[in-house]
Amino acid sequence: MSDAERRVRESFAKQAFMGLLGARLARVAPGEVDIELPFRADLVQQHGYLHAGVTAAIADSACGYAALSLMPADAAVLSVEYKVNMLSPAIGRRFLAMGRVVKSGRTITVVRCEVLAFDDHDDARPVLAMLGTMISAKGRGIVD
Amino acid sequence: MSDAERRVRESFAKQAFMGLLGARLARVAPGEVDIELPFRADLVQQHGYLHAGVTAAIADSACGYAALSLMPADAAVLSVEYKVNMLSPAIGRRFLAMGRVVKSGRTITVVRCEVLAFDDHDDARPVLAMLGTMISAKGRGIVD
Amino acid sequence: MSDAERRVRESFAKQAFMGLLGARLARVAPGEVDIELPFRADLVQQHGYLHAGVTAAIADSACGYAALSLMPADAAVLSVEYKVNMLSPAIGRRFLAMGRVVKSGRTITVVRCEVLAFDDHDDARPVLAMLGTMISAKGRGIVD
Amino acid sequence: MSDAERRVRESFAKQAFMGLLGARLARVAPGEVDIELPFRADLVQQHGYLHAGVTAAIADSACGYAALSLMPADAAVLSVEYKVNMLSPAIGRRFLAMGRVVKSGRTITVVRCEVLAFDDHDDARPVLAMLGTMISAKGRGIVD
């Protein structure tokens, strides 16, 4: 395991909210992090689909860690902002958020993510697209 | 209680994910919905702040219901997309997402939200700003 | 030339603002439209880079026409919203906005765009990423 | 005239693209900048409305200068990203982009803007809402 992957995995383990959702790190590579989430009935909105806040949350974490994987060892990562489009009702047995670095910089890293939903036959369908901005922070807040 | 408020409250009660977070509807008025969330240690990201996915999720629900409150009785609401800026580390005892309709239309409703964090002295600080798009759907998916 | 391409080209010809910028349709295919823009000194912001509003404008048009290319013959297209990230200073001899449909639906079409800058050696560098939402409108406003 | 206003006005004068559009600085105050644009027939899209790229461009500049007005004297400002919602067809005799700082920080400034359209009777209607992110840069690119 690379140093970057170790830092990503240690940080992810501290994200209590990812634990509450039942999300797990599926893959860590330079600039690329996948997070997997099994469907659970307590994660839905009023129509029984996965809540957009849940799909966006795993996408946000996948993007943050994709950015962190390319940062220096002493850096921390914070989400500056992101935008999500819901592409289809988030129905499925499991979901995969694939965070990717679009452009990596000293201060700012631009990221994107696609979330796929897998049905009973493990066929995939895109349910969310994200485009966002991460910042390399060392004990700093987002806006400071 | 108005018909619109009743519809919002009935729909919110079906959002299992809001229950998992411990969020509750604090206020429902035409075009304005507030959702309150007490801090809980299992909702945090790696630095101990509320996960951006959590603040965004209550903002998304507040915006969706602000939009729904102005829609016809047989309408359903779905999030098309939203964008969030994190303004400060989301630290506090409780959080309040204030969803507001910017422009309401037959198909599309534009919404915004501010999330405030309240500290031990109940002083408020803005932690998130959202600008998003809701669609009036009747059994339809988001993109169809 | 397909009917869809003819409709895109006829509509583009009516965009007086694209004419003012000196932009031209470089390529029209189903769900894919490229717009090219030569650099011009009156299109810059205060640091001499192409103004973000210019790169975003050609990206918006490329996305709108990529969406229109998949719509029925009697449809019109309007931008509901978009988000852009600036990736690098927009310096170059010419720029190419590549609009692509992410998900096409009856009402809503989700689109993305990358704008490349080409230098004196015609080497390309990405300068802007867009993620946005188009609506199929027939004489309607955006929010109605 | 304050030093901040002088810096904003000097920088605006260098934005050749604002000159091409015919935009002018209407008001500069700490954290608040308004840009005015008279309608012109060569600024339209295919339906005869002001092109979304034009309204977004004056909003982007208004936001950038609102951010710059609160920055130290030696700072430069760059747009990291922004998101716009089109609220109504941009029809009018003149347009006013009102850029406002939401949260100002050492590195990142979060901004918002509303663009109003004024009709023949000088009645105003909102046509665009923006939420975006500016960065304080000193000779740096956006992502570096």
Side-chain angles (χ1 to χ4, degrees):
Chain A
M1 194 184 296
S2 70
D3 278 2
E5 179 169 355
R6 183 167 296 113
R7 283 185 293 124
V8 168
R9 293 196 172 276
E10 285 174 3
S11 178
F12 186 88
K14 291 181 196 154
Q15 287 211 336
F17 182 55
M18 289 295 115
L20 179 67
L21 296 179
R24 69 174 194 85
L25 271 177
R27 180 170 163 264
V28 179
E32 306 191 355
V33 167
D34 296 352
I35 293 179
E36 193 183 42
L37 178 78
F39 177 80
R40 225 173 55 198
D42 59 354
L43 302 179
V44 304
Q45 37 83 291
Q46 69 274 24
H47 308 117
Y49 313 152
L50 204 70
H51 196 286
V54 177
T55 30
I58 59 171
D60 176 27
S61 282
C63 282
Y65 288 124
L68 184 64
S69 73
L70 299 181
M71 290 180 181
D74 61 341
V77 65
L78 283 168
S79 302
V80 173
E81 61 81 38
Y82 59 80
K83 179 250 208 288
V84 287
N85 266 264
M86 275 52 81
L87 303 177
S88 296
I91 305 169
R93 286 173 68 93
R94 63 181 182 95
F95 300 88
L96 190 70
M98 298 180 298
R100 301 291 180 263
V101 169
V102 173
K103 179 83 195 289
S104 151
R106 194 162 45 90
T107 306
I108 295 291
T109 299
V110 180
V111 288
R112 65 182 167 83
C113 187
E114 190 176 54
V115 179
L116 301 178
F118 292 86
D119 66 15
D120 289 349
H121 306 287
D122 223 39
D123 289 332
R125 204 180 30 148
V127 294
L128 179 142
M130 175 179 279
L131 180 62
T133 311
M134 299 286 156
I135 195 165
S136 170
K138 301 180 181 178
R140 299 191 297 162
I142 304 137
V143 177
D144 69 4
Chain B
M1 192 185 295
S2 70
D3 277 3
E5 179 168 353
R6 183 167 297 113
R7 282 185 294 125
V8 167
R9 292 198 175 276
E10 284 175 3
S11 177
F12 186 87
K14 290 181 196 153
Q15 287 210 336
F17 182 55
M18 288 294 116
L20 179 67
L21 296 178
R24 70 174 193 86
L25 270 177
R27 179 171 163 265
V28 179
E32 305 191 355
V33 167
D34 295 353
I35 293 178
E36 194 182 43
L37 178 77
F39 177 79
R40 225 174 55 199
D42 58 355
L43 303 179
V44 305
Q45 38 83 290
Q46 71 275 22
H47 309 118
Y49 313 152
L50 205 68
H51 196 285
V54 177
T55 32
I58 59 171
D60 176 27
S61 283
C63 283
Y65 288 124
L68 184 65
S69 73
L70 299 180
M71 289 180 181
D74 61 341
V77 64
L78 283 169
S79 302
V80 174
E81 63 81 37
Y82 59 79
K83 178 249 205 292
V84 288
N85 266 263
M86 274 53 81
L87 304 176
S88 296
I91 305 170
R93 284 173 69 92
R94 65 181 181 96
F95 300 88
L96 190 70
M98 297 180 300
R100 300 292 180 262
V101 168
V102 173
K103 179 85 194 291
S104 148
R106 194 161 45 90
T107 306
I108 295 291
T109 299
V110 179
V111 288
R112 65 182 169 81
C113 188
E114 189 175 57
V115 180
L116 301 177
F118 293 84
D119 66 15
D120 290 350
H121 306 286
D122 222 38
D123 290 332
R125 204 178 31 144
V127 295
L128 177 142
M130 175 179 281
L131 180 62
T133 310
M134 298 288 157
I135 195 165
S136 170
K138 301 179 181 178
R140 297 192 297 163
I142 304 137
V143 177
D144 68 5
Chain C
M1 195 184 295
S2 71
D3 278 1
E5 179 168 355
R6 184 167 297 112
R7 283 185 292 128
V8 167
R9 293 198 173 275
E10 285 174 3
S11 177
F12 186 87
K14 292 180 195 154
Q15 288 211 334
F17 182 55
M18 288 296 115
L20 180 67
L21 296 179
R24 69 173 195 87
L25 271 177
R27 179 171 164 264
V28 179
E32 306 191 354
V33 167
D34 295 353
I35 292 178
E36 194 183 41
L37 178 78
F39 177 80
R40 225 173 55 200
D42 58 356
L43 303 178
V44 304
Q45 37 84 291
Q46 70 275 22
H47 308 117
Y49 313 153
L50 204 70
H51 195 286
V54 177
T55 31
I58 59 171
D60 176 26
S61 283
C63 283
Y65 288 124
L68 184 65
S69 73
L70 298 181
M71 289 180 181
D74 61 342
V77 64
L78 284 168
S79 302
V80 173
E81 61 81 38
Y82 59 78
K83 178 249 205 291
V84 288
N85 265 263
M86 274 53 81
L87 304 176
S88 294
I91 306 168
R93 285 174 68 93
R94 63 180 182 96
F95 301 88
L96 190 70
M98 299 180 299
R100 300 292 181 262
V101 169
V102 173
K103 179 82 195 289
S104 151
R106 192 161 47 89
T107 306
I108 294 291
T109 298
V110 179
V111 288
R112 64 183 168 81
C113 187
E114 190 176 54
V115 180
L116 301 178
F118 292 84
D119 66 16
D120 290 349
H121 306 287
D122 222 38
D123 289 332
R125 203 178 33 145
V127 294
L128 178 142
M130 175 179 280
L131 180 62
T133 311
M134 299 287 157
I135 195 165
S136 169
K138 301 179 183 179
R140 298 191 297 161
I142 303 136
V143 176
D144 69 4
Chain D
M1 192 185 294
S2 71
D3 279 2
E5 180 169 353
R6 183 167 296 110
R7 282 184 293 124
V8 167
R9 292 197 174 275
E10 286 174 2
S11 179
F12 186 86
K14 291 181 197 153
Q15 286 210 337
F17 182 55
M18 288 294 115
L20 179 67
L21 296 179
R24 70 175 192 85
L25 270 177
R27 179 170 164 264
V28 179
E32 305 190 356
V33 167
D34 295 351
I35 292 178
E36 195 182 42
L37 178 77
F39 178 80
R40 225 174 54 201
D42 59 354
L43 302 178
V44 304
Q45 37 83 292
Q46 69 276 24
H47 308 117
Y49 313 152
L50 205 70
H51 195 286
V54 177
T55 32
I58 59 172
D60 176 27
S61 283
C63 283
Y65 288 124
L68 184 66
S69 73
L70 299 180
M71 289 180 182
D74 60 342
V77 64
L78 283 169
S79 302
V80 174
E81 62 82 37
Y82 60 79
K83 179 250 206 290
V84 288
N85 266 263
M86 273 53 82
L87 304 177
S88 296
I91 306 170
R93 284 173 69 92
R94 65 182 181 94
F95 300 88
L96 189 70
M98 299 180 299
R100 300 293 180 263
V101 168
V102 173
K103 179 83 194 290
S104 151
R106 195 161 44 89
T107 307
I108 295 290
T109 298
V110 180
V111 288
R112 65 183 167 82
C113 188
E114 190 176 54
V115 180
L116 301 178
F118 293 85
D119 65 16
D120 289 350
H121 307 285
D122 221 38
D123 289 332
R125 203 177 33 143
V127 294
L128 177 142
M130 176 180 278
L131 180 62
T133 310
M134 299 287 158
I135 195 164
S136 170
K138 302 179 181 178
R140 296 191 297 161
I142 304 138
V143 176
D144 68 4

